[in-house]
Amino acid sequence: MNNNLIIAFLLITSIGFSQNIRFEGIVKDSTGLGLEMANVMAINNDTKAMDAYAITNENGKFILNLKTNTSYKIKASYIGFQSFEKNVSTTSSNMTYDISMAQGVQLNDVEVVYEMPVSISGDTIIYNSDSFTNGTERKLEDVLKKLPGVEVNKDGEIQVEGKTVQKVMVEGKDFFDGDTKIATKNIPADALDKIQVLRNYNEVSNLKGLENNDENIAINIKLKEGKKNFWFGDFTAGIGVGHKEDRYIVNPKLFYYSPKYSINVIGNINNIGELPLTMRDYFKFTGGFRSMMRKGGSSFNVSSNDLGILGLRNNQAANIDTKFGAANFSYNPSKSWTLSGFGIFLGNKTDVQTNSVNDLPEGASANSVEEKEDISRQKSDLGIFKLSSSYIPSAKTHFDYDAIVKFSNQKENQSVTSTELGDIYTNKKQKPFSINQNLNYYYTLDDKNVFAFETQHLYQQEDPFYNANLQNLAFNLGSEYNTMQVRDDVSQKRFVKTNKTDIKFDYYYMLTPKSNINVTVGNTYSYQNFDSHIFQVLDNQAVNDLNSEESNNDVSYAFNDVFLGLHYKFITGKFTFNPGFSVHNYNTKDIQLGGQNKQSFNRFLPDFYAQYQIKKSENLTYNFSLSNNFTDIVKLAEGLVFSNYNNLFSGNRLLENSLSQVHSLRYFKYNMFNFENIFANISYTRQVDAIKNKALLTSANQVTSSVNIDSNFADETFSGSANYGRSFAKYYKASAGFNLNWSKFNNIRVLSSTEEKVQTTESFSQNYNVRFSTNYKKIPNISLQYTYGINDNSSSVFYTDNPSVELEYYFLNAFSFVSEYSFYHNRNRAKTIDTEYDFLSSSLTYQKKDSKVEWKLSGTNLLNTKALNSNSFNQLGGTNSFSSYIVQPRYIILSMKYNL
């Protein structure tokens, strides 16, 4: 098979490079000065197709790869100059041809710009969608993968310049703000006209140029004319065969866009494992809320008290039933007022099965490993709703309000068989609820003075319930616990309520057109309550309440941070500097165990930003920050809390904040001349007085508490990544990159009642990848990728090889064939673990030109692979775990799609 792949690769590349010549020159003005960013294209006079295009470099140079002995019309355009057209016939030799342009009105600008596959306007990169499609594309994700400098990872996240895209818009209107996956998986490819990548994005025009937005990237989709002011979309229904039961999918999509309003409706009901939104997506879904306290110097994050339900890789579970519905709208009552919002519902029933081999900490057990089988049945119903209002009556005033509500009902029944702990049955339930609101007002008084007021409030309540039925009791729960039972049936109820308010006022004063002073006054206030109660159900079904203080929690905690910040931003030549600092007054108070504990102190926290703009699309950026990190109520509550059946936790009310310093350096270059994309990033974090775990490990069980580790034992992390990508001759896209991460963590290991030690663990992970893909219109296209990973931790080294190949072919003007194959090889240095598995999926689609009906025959996991394998490292015990995760079997689906 490998030889066949090599032959196919050489055949495709030889077809592309044969019988081509190099046609190059310089685009000049009337004085002979080269024009940077001019558009040049070659139109084949016989086929009327654009065979090549280029954008000039800083010297005005362009290069086109053209066919030999062919007649072309060479076109060139540049803003403020008359368009250039000239017929040229190529020979069998390379040619040099300079273009002189005259200043004046550019009459044919609209036509030329429309045909250019890629163009740049300021901070916006504009891709013409049709220039990159070959007929096999069905959704936005398929098109984005083919654009120079754009990647879509397996989670559906869009990445440009190595940065994650934060927002997707369609015709300037938010598309499910806060998540890009819904857009990449659902927007139809045939509706796309232009894809605009908006770099240095700031949705508040008042603050543009005042803040550093180089990390902010958004995408705006421009629709084809036939999709505007008309309903469009499709309805898909499919049935098939699979393991034990029939398989089905129903997937309607409906879209409408006009200047005044837009509506998007998406549905998906299936039992083939197609997940429009995973549980991980749900929990990280912010609804697009801005990080208003990013310059504050403090980190106070409200932790999640969920029980880990659906935190597994449920996108490849043994069985998944999904019900998904989403609707998004935008409405303009007037030119200055916009109302928008969305609603999302997700219901999942998931069967999860994992077999694992876990190393046990040295001295924790007579055995060295634990073998475990874990079978879970999970059910969840989740909802997200957001409403936004934006009022911009003039360029001087901007007012907006957002509210997002999240709620869910989640359950999990789990059966565990362990060689160390015997048979265990657990039951988890939780119904968390939260509402997050923000209110923002921005006002530009004049050219010198800009004001910004931002406030945000979070209300959150969580009620996790946990029950474990144990063959052997793992912990000593005190004298009240009845140990004379056949099995130990223990439960815990928890309730956590949070009110958190952030308020920030910014004043910007423009000293010169290239410098400003920013004064910030802010406050973060959080108040939390935490109640928990442990009880036991005896063999006779009587309830034994544990009423001791160590078995229960009744805690309240208040955190207050008042701060004043000062930043000075100025531009000199190619350099931008933005040094600053913030001064904080912190006050905390917790009430528990019949008493209270207060802390009050001040901190001075500097930060620094610098950027070197080497060229228009090449820069080097450095960031430094010093921040105070605070825990919330969860780690302060001293009563016992079940983290799991084999993990018992108690907090520490005497915890103090930790101090982190972060250094990062990023390099970026985007060269439109040869479509070269380079980015690299290194960062170093050092955290002192870190809040760490103090654990007593016994067999597979651990009792954990939190402590501040002495500053002599700092946690350190160093990470680096780089990627080089380039498009060649319009038909090829290649890239190579790596990710490195080294970390050192310190925890305290309790050895006995009188002895403990600081346990330092180091890990070094490496990931290297190369990719190559073709993009022809009339012959098969291939995409090759190879990823090699090394995970080196304190006790062992694991290696992973992952080659993959994808084939696309559009033929006979009606058929589309797509197939993807991935192979995985996991092993450790000691050769005690050496496993292989692979996945193959394929689809054949039939749709006549201009027909509204599409037929599709698709198969997933065609090789019927039973499980995927992975390894993980536990820094607390310094141990490894190797798991085998059962996945869905082979499914064959026949579906019909009707396009509206």
Side-chain angles (χ1 to χ4, degrees):
M1 179 177 178
N2 292 335
N3 291 335
N4 292 335
L5 289 176
I6 294 172
I7 293 171
F9 168 73
L10 293 176
L11 177 62
I12 291 172
T13 53
S14 64
I15 291 173
F17 280 115
S18 64
Q19 298 183 342
N20 278 359
I21 66 158
R22 183 183 175 105
F23 185 91
E24 63 181 296
I26 298 176
V27 178
K28 308 174 183 178
D29 63 12
S30 57
T31 67
L33 182 66
L35 297 176
E36 183 180 4
M37 295 291 182
N39 296 329
V40 184
M41 66 181 70
I43 307 299
N44 190 310
N45 285 330
D46 295 328
T47 65
K48 304 304 179 185
M50 181 176 61
D51 282 359
Y53 64 93
I55 296 176
T56 59
N57 66 7
E58 64 272 18
N59 299 316
K61 184 178 180 180
F62 68 90
I63 297 176
L64 301 173
N65 291 293
L66 303 182
K67 298 175 182 177
T68 60
N69 303 314
T70 304
S71 175
Y72 286 100
K73 179 178 289 185
I74 303 299
K75 292 186 176 184
S77 66
Y78 191 78
I79 296 175
F81 286 74
Q82 296 181 22
S83 297
F84 175 89
E85 288 189 10
K86 187 75 173 180
N87 287 318
V88 173
S89 295
T90 61
T91 64
S92 58
S93 302
N94 293 335
M95 299 177 64
T96 300
Y97 188 90
D98 292 342
I99 296 173
S100 295
M101 302 188 68
Q103 286 185 307
V105 179
Q106 186 177 337
L107 297 177
N108 296 325
D109 178 56
V110 174
E111 177 188 356
V112 173
V113 172
Y114 178 81
E115 292 178 345
M116 279 297 294
V118 186
S119 58
I120 287 185
S121 177
D123 287 330
T124 302
I125 305 174
I126 305 168
Y127 297 95
N128 183 31
S129 175
D130 287 345
S131 300
F132 297 92
T133 56
N134 56 43
T136 61
E137 302 80 11
R138 292 295 178 267
K139 50 197 174 184
L140 174 62
E141 174 184 35
D142 302 328
V143 179
L144 291 175
K145 289 178 178 179
K146 296 173 181 178
L147 304 182
V150 180
E151 300 290 341
V152 181
N153 63 24
K154 292 183 179 180
D155 293 327
E157 292 180 336
I158 309 167
Q159 294 180 327
V160 178
E161 306 169 6
K163 308 167 191 173
T164 300
V165 173
Q166 301 168 343
K167 180 192 289 282
V168 172
M169 298 174 286
V170 178
E171 293 291 329
K173 304 177 188 299
D174 291 346
F175 191 90
F176 294 95
D177 193 19
D179 179 77
T180 60
K181 182 176 182 178
I182 298 179
T184 59
K185 299 292 185 182
N186 290 283
I187 295 178
D190 61 3
L192 309 177
D193 181 22
K194 298 288 192 300
I195 299 173
Q196 300 174 332
V197 175
L198 312 176
R199 299 179 294 176
N200 300 312
Y201 178 74
N202 192 327
E203 57 190 321
V204 181
S205 60
N206 307 65
L207 302 182
K208 285 185 178 179
L210 300 177
E211 297 186 326
N212 305 314
N213 301 305
D214 51 298
E215 295 293 320
N216 299 342
I217 295 181
I219 282 181
N220 181 48
I221 306 297
K222 302 292 289 184
L223 299 174
K224 292 180 177 176
E225 286 302 320
K227 304 299 182 180
K228 299 176 185 178
N229 299 307
F230 293 97
W231 287 98
F232 69 94
D234 55 67
F235 181 89
T236 301
I239 58 173
V241 294
H243 181 64
K244 294 184 179 179
E245 59 180 304
D246 294 337
R247 298 290 150 179
Y248 61 86
I249 179 171
V250 178
N251 182 202
K253 304 173 188 175
L254 196 60
F255 309 94
Y256 183 87
Y257 281 89
S258 72
K260 194 172 184 65
Y261 68 91
S262 67
I263 300 174
N264 308 289
V265 180
I266 302 169
N268 196 320
I269 302 173
N270 74 85
N271 64 352
I272 63 173
E274 184 173 299
L275 287 177
L277 204 69
T278 68
M279 301 314 306
R280 284 179 293 181
D281 297 328
Y282 170 82
F283 284 113
K284 70 183 183 182
F285 205 109
T286 63
F289 275 45
R290 291 182 287 275
S291 179
M292 56 178 285
M293 288 299 185
R294 61 188 180 277
K295 293 191 301 183
S298 297
S299 174
F300 180 83
N301 296 315
V302 177
S303 60
S304 173
N305 291 278
D306 67 84
L307 294 165
I309 298 176
L310 300 160
L312 303 173
R313 291 163 295 183
N314 55 317
N315 59 316
Q316 287 184 307
N319 188 64
I320 308 173
D321 286 339
T322 297
K323 294 179 175 64
F324 173 81
N328 171 235
F329 82 95
S330 178
Y331 174 61
N332 295 95
S334 66
K335 291 184 178 179
S336 58
W337 186 20
T338 301
L339 292 171
S340 62
F342 62 77
I344 299 173
F345 170 79
L346 178 65
N348 276 345
K349 293 180 181 179
T350 309
D351 295 335
V352 179
Q353 182 177 345
T354 306
N355 301 313
S356 60
V357 178
N358 307 314
D359 294 338
L360 297 176
E362 183 180 353
S365 171
N367 300 316
S368 59
V369 298
E370 174 199 24
E371 296 183 11
K372 188 168 65 172
E373 181 186 57
D374 186 328
I375 300 175
S376 301
R377 168 66 61 90
Q378 304 167 341
K379 183 180 184 300
S380 67
D381 294 308
L382 314 168
I384 311 173
F385 295 95
K386 182 185 178 184
L387 178 65
S388 299
S389 175
S390 178
Y391 181 62
I392 311 175
S394 69
K396 289 188 173 184
T397 305
H398 182 124
F399 175 87
D400 60 50
Y401 168 80
D402 301 279
I404 184 168
V405 177
K406 299 172 70 173
F407 59 88
S408 63
N409 184 3
Q410 304 165 53
K411 300 176 182 178
E412 179 187 77
N413 294 313
Q414 183 181 34
S415 172
V416 179
T417 302
S418 166
T419 56
E420 281 291 298
L421 306 178
D423 297 331
I424 302 152
Y425 304 95
T426 68
N427 175 36
K428 302 175 182 179
K429 295 187 292 185
Q430 58 191 24
K431 294 182 179 181
F433 170 84
S434 70
I435 177 170
N436 202 341
Q437 304 176 79
N438 70 12
L439 182 68
N440 306 309
Y441 177 71
Y442 308 94
Y443 180 67
T444 302
L445 179 64
D446 51 38
D447 293 341
K448 292 284 188 180
N449 302 277
V450 178
F451 301 89
F453 174 79
E454 300 171 306
T455 180
Q456 182 169 297
H457 177 259
L458 169 68
Y459 174 80
Q460 177 176 288
Q461 64 180 39
E462 299 166 291
D463 61 345
F465 171 81
Y466 182 76
N467 168 257
N469 190 295
L470 308 168
Q471 180 176 333
N472 301 297
L473 182 65
F475 309 106
N476 177 12
L477 297 177
S479 58
E480 295 179 301
Y481 195 83
N482 189 330
T483 59
M484 306 301 293
Q485 305 298 303
V486 176
R487 291 184 65 88
D488 289 285
D489 190 333
V490 61
S491 301
Q492 183 172 52
K493 294 180 179 179
R494 281 187 272 166
F495 184 79
V496 186
K497 183 170 67 174
T498 300
N499 276 281
K500 179 173 175 283
T501 302
D502 296 302
I503 299 175
K504 183 166 70 76
F505 173 80
D506 279 290
Y507 169 63
Y508 299 89
Y509 179 72
M510 299 296 295
L511 295 170
T512 70
K514 292 187 177 182
S515 65
N516 71 75
I517 292 178
N518 170 214
V519 179
T520 304
V521 179
N523 177 231
T524 293
Y525 177 76
S526 173
Y527 186 80
Q528 297 178 290
N529 298 102
F530 180 24
D531 299 318
S532 70
H533 176 63
I534 297 176
F535 62 92
Q536 178 186 18
V537 178
L538 305 179
D539 291 343
N540 61 4
Q541 301 304 303
V543 176
N544 177 29
D545 285 311
L546 306 186
N547 296 313
S548 64
E549 288 185 338
E550 68 176 5
S551 301
N552 298 283
N553 280 294
D554 182 6
V555 187
S556 64
Y557 175 60
F559 170 86
N560 192 62
D561 170 23
V562 179
F563 68 91
L564 172 68
L566 179 64
H567 290 81
Y568 174 48
K569 180 180 179 180
F570 62 98
I571 300 174
T572 173
K574 294 185 176 182
F575 291 91
T576 300
F577 296 99
N578 193 189
F581 65 87
S582 56
V583 180
H584 296 253
N585 174 252
Y586 298 104
N587 288 277
T588 66
K589 181 175 73 171
D590 76 271
I591 301 175
Q592 61 179 313
L593 303 176
Q596 64 180 21
N597 179 51
K598 293 184 178 180
Q599 296 184 46
S600 180
F601 57 97
N602 302 312
R603 283 288 186 272
F604 174 84
L605 302 172
D607 58 87
F608 182 76
Y609 169 94
Q611 184 178 82
Y612 174 36
Q613 194 69 41
I614 304 170
K615 295 178 182 177
K616 284 185 178 180
S617 293
E618 183 179 13
N619 59 58
L620 185 66
T621 305
Y622 169 74
N623 269 292
F624 163 77
S625 64
L626 194 65
S627 63
N628 266 358
N629 307 309
F630 293 86
T631 184
D632 71 347
I633 196 170
V634 174
K635 290 188 176 181
L636 299 172
E638 298 201 341
L640 297 174
V641 175
F642 275 100
S643 301
N644 206 342
Y645 61 84
N646 63 342
N647 191 334
L648 198 62
F649 174 80
S650 63
N652 179 2
R653 68 188 306 181
L654 300 179
L655 290 176
E656 298 179 349
N657 68 285
S658 62
L659 188 66
S660 293
Q661 57 171 297
V662 181
H663 303 264
S664 67
L665 185 66
R666 175 186 286 271
Y667 171 78
F668 161 72
K669 179 182 180 180
Y670 190 88
N671 189 340
M672 294 293 290
F673 172 65
N674 55 14
F675 297 99
E676 182 183 63
N677 183 280
I678 306 172
F679 66 84
N681 181 66
I682 57 173
S683 65
Y684 171 76
T685 302
R686 177 181 173 86
Q687 186 176 21
V688 297
D689 297 322
I691 298 174
K692 305 297 294 184
N693 290 313
K694 177 180 179 180
L696 172 64
L697 306 178
T698 306
S699 181
N701 303 316
Q702 65 182 49
V703 180
T704 310
S705 61
S706 293
V707 294
N708 286 101
I709 285 192
D710 187 274
S711 58
N712 292 325
F713 297 95
D715 285 354
E716 295 178 275
T717 301
F718 175 84
S719 62
S721 63
N723 190 82
Y724 176 86
R726 185 171 176 181
S727 295
F728 302 85
K730 195 172 82 168
Y731 302 110
Y732 309 102
K733 181 179 179 181
S735 66
F738 65 84
N739 288 279
L740 308 175
N741 188 284
W742 172 85
S743 59
K744 182 176 72 173
F745 295 105
N746 300 279
N747 293 280
I748 295 181
R749 174 89 179 271
V750 178
L751 303 177
S752 67
S753 58
T754 59
E755 185 181 3
E756 59 186 42
K757 70 172 184 178
V758 175
Q759 178 170 291
T760 301
T761 57
E762 294 187 26
S763 64
F764 181 40
S765 63
Q766 306 167 62
N767 186 280
Y768 305 91
N769 65 81
V770 291
R771 301 182 183 93
F772 175 83
S773 61
T774 66
N775 192 16
Y776 289 100
K777 295 283 187 180
K778 296 182 179 180
I779 63 175
N781 287 292
I782 193 170
S783 176
L784 303 172
Q785 178 172 331
Y786 175 72
T787 301
Y788 177 63
I790 306 173
N791 287 319
D792 185 354
N793 53 58
S794 297
S795 56
S796 65
V797 182
F798 283 87
Y799 305 92
T800 302
D801 294 286
N802 175 210
S804 64
V805 58
E806 184 174 353
L807 181 67
E808 296 181 346
Y809 187 29
Y810 180 72
F811 57 99
L812 299 179
N813 292 321
F815 292 92
S816 296
F817 177 74
V818 178
S819 184
E820 183 175 359
Y821 174 77
S822 296
F823 174 80
Y824 299 84
H825 181 200
N826 294 326
R827 62 200 184 279
N828 64 354
R829 178 180 289 175
K831 300 295 184 180
T832 56
I833 294 174
D834 196 330
T835 63
E836 297 178 350
Y837 61 95
D838 51 3
F839 288 99
L840 174 66
S841 64
S842 297
S843 68
L844 179 65
T845 304
Y846 172 75
Q847 183 179 19
K848 288 185 177 180
K849 187 177 181 181
D850 299 325
S851 173
K852 292 182 176 295
V853 178
E854 173 189 285
W855 294 94
K856 181 179 181 180
L857 182 66
S858 60
T860 58
N861 194 10
L862 291 173
L863 302 177
N864 210 27
T865 299
K866 302 299 182 183
L868 60 84
N869 304 314
S870 65
N871 61 278
S872 60
F873 176 67
N874 183 349
Q875 61 166 284
L876 186 60
T879 58
N880 293 283
S881 176
F882 186 83
S883 61
S884 177
Y885 188 82
I886 308 302
V887 299
Q888 296 176 103
R890 179 193 300 120
Y891 296 151
I892 306 295
I893 304 294
L894 176 64
S895 61
M896 186 271 287
K897 182 171 75 173
Y898 181 79
N899 295 293
L900 299 177

